[in-house]
Amino acid sequence: MDRNKDLGPDRGAGAVALLADHVPALGHRIGGPLAGQAARLWFDILVTSVPLPGIPLRLGGHPVTEVYPFAPLARGQSLAIAISTYRGRVHYGLVADAKAVPDLDVLAKAVSEEVQSLITACGP
């Protein structure tokens, strides 16, 4: 990752978006689906963040106090991490392919422990 960052956005995977302006429409029509299918070869982890409104939400007349974000796994992906912020709290959800990530509970515990470490480090 450090090597890719050092190369900058004009090199490596980041250059794909820059090339899009130079490809004719037919190239997009043919190449788009191929690139979508090949995406699983480029990455197998998804991390997404969806901030929710800071105002209190209600569902069926009841206040929403917790959220459980969910990001579905695409074909070929091993792990999806979804993060949502709601009313000053951060909520996260983990979804994994059981064969690729048989110890998801270990990751969940590690994330919880690290979040607690950050809270402690930041103080009141």
Side-chain angles (χ1 to χ4, degrees):
M1 184 166 49
D2 289 336
R3 178 176 44 92
N4 288 338
K5 284 178 165 180
D6 291 341
L7 289 174
D10 297 341
R11 312 278 270 169
V16 173
L18 299 174
L19 295 173
D21 289 338
H22 303 290
V23 176
L26 180 61
H28 284 280
R29 178 171 277 179
I30 294 170
L34 293 174
Q37 291 174 357
R40 67 177 184 221
L41 301 174
W42 295 341
F43 65 93
D44 64 350
I45 297 174
L46 168 73
V47 179
T48 185
S49 173
V50 180
L52 296 174
I55 60 172
L57 299 175
R58 299 183 78 74
L59 183 63
H62 301 282
V64 174
T65 58
E66 307 245 346
V67 294
Y68 297 91
F70 174 81
L73 289 176
R75 183 181 309 142
Q77 288 184 331
S78 299
L79 176 65
I81 302 171
I83 304 162
S84 289
T85 56
Y86 176 63
R87 300 192 44 97
R89 298 186 70 192
V90 177
H91 305 265
Y92 66 92
L94 305 173
V95 178
D97 177 317
K99 289 182 183 176
V101 186
D103 52 355
L104 185 62
D105 58 325
V106 174
L107 176 61
K109 183 179 177 189
V111 169
S112 294
E113 289 172 356
E114 288 304 314
V115 167
Q116 190 57 48
S117 295
L118 286 171
I119 291 169
T120 302
C122 291

